[in-house]
């Protein structure tokens, strides 16, 4: 008995695949301006979803009231700090422009204590006095080759800041929509993952959610708490430009550098200016703020998924270069999700039969 041969229409398959590819590329091209805002909103909603559910229970089960309150909280946490940063940068940038335009108005202190430094103290003091005797023009001539590069960098960062504000606005809009329809969106994503990879796809979506919550709670919340407390200490101690320093401190905390990179120079400046009382207060406060992450971060990370610190640091730096300031949040999440999925896939394989020591001996032989 001869079975019928199943023939494939190759041109039909090729044109079908080409049409699907063209539609996919066209769709991505159309929604490209909204992708980062939607991804950011998704991370925020996933991380804060339990809080929204608790608010809904407290508000007699009214979802729209909980969505309004959560949106207002996001405005307080994102929009207002960014607006404060922009206004502070504009206000504090005027003195710097004035100094750059008239370098002769730059008054530099005479550091007599440089002579007390062993071996190199006299050389440092002599070089510093040469700059003082030459006035601000001598100092500007030293930094003149770097002015153009620095100005170009600030222009690029200003563009990133504008893009960041746009994505922040989109994040608020998409967050409100996801808060109101979160269950339906999550169900659709899980259905799509199951269609792609059956039960493994569903498990991947759940692991991705855990990784997002771990980064949001363990990194962003810890950095936010440390920077706010450090900024309060700077403002109370009377440190100039406390708002800008607080924002820089937040970036340092997200990058796992810590707040002490900003707080220690502020303490030195207070002692050097003769304000020993506030210098001591800020020193004690800095010890509390600097050690807070050792207590707060492990507690918060246990609520999500345990992640290597090197992975988070790489995600922060790489995300900053790839996406600008919004990459501080997207970079660690992308690497964390990828790490969790690859780790799950690797551990599904059987364990090696040979111990590591025996494997090394076999390689030596």
């Amino acid at each position: 008995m001869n079975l019928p041969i199943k023939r494939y229409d190759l041109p039909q398959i090729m044109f079908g695949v080409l049409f699907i590819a063209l539609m996919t590329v066209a769709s991505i091209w159309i929604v490209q301006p909204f992708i980062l805002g939607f991804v950011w909103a998704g991370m925020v909603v996933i991380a804060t979803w339990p809080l929204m559910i608790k608010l809904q229970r407290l508000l007699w089960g009214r979802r729209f009231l909980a969505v309004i309150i959560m949106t207002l909280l996001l405005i307080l946490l994102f929009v207002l700090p960014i607006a404060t940063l922009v206004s502070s940068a504009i206000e504090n940038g005027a003195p710097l422009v004035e100094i750059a335009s008239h370098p002769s108005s730059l008054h530099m202190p005479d550091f007599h204590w440089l002579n007390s430094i062993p071996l190199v103290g006299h050389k440092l003091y002599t070089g510093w006095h040469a700059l003082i005797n030459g006035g601000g023009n001598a100092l500007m001539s030293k930094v003149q080759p770097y002015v153009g590069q620095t100005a170009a960098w600030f222009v690029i960062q200003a563009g990133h800041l504008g893009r960041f504000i746009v994505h922040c606005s989109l994040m608020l809009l998409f967050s409100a929509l996801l808060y109101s329809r979160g269950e339906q969106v999550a169900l659709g994503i899980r259905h799509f993952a199951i269609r792609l990879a059956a039960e493994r796809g569903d498990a991947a979506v759940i692991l991705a959610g855990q990784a997002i919550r771990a980064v949001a709670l363990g990194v962003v919340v810890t950095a936010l708490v440390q920077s706010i407390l450090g900024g309060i200490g700077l403002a109370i101690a009377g440190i100039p430009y406390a708002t800008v320093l607080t924002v820089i401190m937040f970036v340092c905390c997200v990058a796992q550098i810590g707040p002490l990179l900003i707080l220690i120079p502020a303490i030195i400046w207070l002692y050097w200016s003769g304000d020993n009382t506030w210098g001591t207060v800020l020193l004690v406060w800095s010890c509390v703020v600097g050690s807070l992450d050792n207590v707060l971060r492990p507690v918060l990370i246990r609520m999500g998924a345990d992640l290597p610190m090197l992975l988070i640091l790489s995600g922060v730096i790489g995300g900053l270069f790839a996406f600008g300031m919004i990459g501080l949040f997207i970079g660690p999440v992308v690497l964390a999700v990828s790490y969790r999925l690859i780790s799950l896939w690797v551990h599904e394989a059987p364990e090696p039969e040979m111990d590591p020591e025996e494997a090394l001996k076999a390689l030596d032989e």
Side-chain angles (χ1 to χ4, degrees):
M1 180 178 178
N2 294 328
L3 296 176
I5 299 175
K6 188 175 182 180
R7 298 182 180 275
Y8 294 96
D9 190 348
L10 184 59
Q12 181 185 10
I13 296 175
M14 291 178 59
F15 282 111
V17 172
L18 180 60
F19 177 76
I20 294 174
L22 288 176
M23 292 299 293
T24 303
V25 172
S27 300
I28 294 175
W29 186 31
I30 292 172
V31 302
Q32 182 182 2
F34 311 101
I35 290 177
L36 289 179
F38 184 80
V39 170
W40 194 11
M43 294 187 300
V44 171
V45 171
I46 290 174
T48 59
W49 185 258
L51 178 60
M52 200 278 296
I53 295 299
K54 291 180 181 180
L55 282 176
Q56 181 178 344
R57 292 173 182 171
L58 293 175
L59 297 172
W60 311 283
R62 302 294 179 88
R63 172 63 62 87
F64 73 95
L65 292 178
V67 172
I68 292 174
I69 292 178
M70 291 299 298
T71 305
L72 292 176
L73 288 176
L74 291 179
I75 292 174
L76 291 175
L77 290 176
F78 290 100
V79 177
L80 292 183
I82 292 173
T84 304
L85 172 62
V86 172
S87 62
S88 178
I90 295 175
E91 179 182 355
N92 298 328
L96 298 178
V97 174
E98 179 66 22
I99 291 174
S101 303
H102 303 87
S104 59
S105 62
L106 182 63
H107 299 286
M108 293 175 288
D110 188 1
F111 294 134
H112 294 285
W113 52 270
L114 288 175
N115 278 320
S116 61
I117 300 177
L119 300 179
V120 297
H122 180 69
K123 187 176 181 180
L124 291 175
Y125 184 76
T126 304
W128 182 251
H129 248 276
L131 288 177
I132 293 178
N133 295 331
N137 293 317
L139 181 60
M140 291 302 295
S141 65
K142 295 289 185 181
V143 301
Q144 188 67 32
Y146 309 100
V147 172
Q149 298 177 1
T150 306
W153 185 85
F154 274 108
V155 169
I156 294 174
Q157 297 307 311
H160 287 170
L161 182 60
R163 188 174 62 176
F164 182 79
I165 294 174
V166 172
H167 288 311
C168 187
S169 303
L170 292 175
M171 182 271 296
L172 290 175
L173 175 62
F174 289 135
S175 296
L177 296 176
L178 290 176
Y179 278 134
S180 60
R181 300 292 180 184
E183 292 86 356
Q184 292 87 339
V185 174
L187 187 61
I189 293 175
R190 294 183 65 182
H191 278 168
F192 182 75
I194 292 173
R195 188 68 179 86
L196 286 178
E199 295 181 357
R200 182 177 293 179
D202 191 23
V205 172
I206 296 175
L207 283 175
Q210 292 177 350
I212 291 172
R213 189 164 298 171
V215 171
L217 292 177
V219 177
V220 179
V221 173
T222 303
L224 188 64
V225 171
Q226 282 187 296
S227 59
I228 289 176
L229 294 178
I232 292 173
L234 293 176
I236 294 176
I239 300 295
Y241 313 123
T243 304
V244 177
L245 293 176
T246 301
V247 176
I248 298 174
M249 194 186 312
F250 173 74
V251 175
C252 293
C253 291
V254 172
Q256 307 304 305
I257 299 175
L260 297 180
L261 187 65
I262 306 299
L263 293 175
I264 290 177
I267 296 170
I268 295 174
W269 183 82
L270 286 174
Y271 279 116
W272 175 73
S273 60
D275 198 348
N276 297 331
T277 302
W278 283 112
T280 305
V281 171
L282 187 60
L283 175 61
V284 175
W285 185 249
S286 299
C287 294
V288 175
V289 175
S291 60
L292 189 63
D293 59 338
N294 297 325
V295 179
L296 187 60
R297 185 185 293 120
V299 174
L300 294 176
I301 284 182
R302 289 194 195 100
M303 299 180 183
D306 195 8
L307 299 169
M309 200 58 62
L310 180 61
L311 182 78
I312 296 174
L313 179 60
S314 302
V316 168
I317 298 175
L320 182 63
F321 282 106
F323 304 108
M325 286 184 289
I326 193 175
L328 292 172
F329 307 94
I330 295 180
V333 170
V334 172
L335 289 187
V337 172
S338 302
Y339 170 79
R340 294 294 294 170
L341 296 181
I342 294 175
S343 178
L344 177 65
W345 176 72
V346 168
H347 284 86
E348 287 181 353
E351 294 290 336
E353 297 180 357
M354 188 180 298
D355 294 334
E357 295 180 358
E358 295 178 358
L360 291 175
K361 291 180 181 179
L363 289 176
D364 293 337
E365 294 175 358

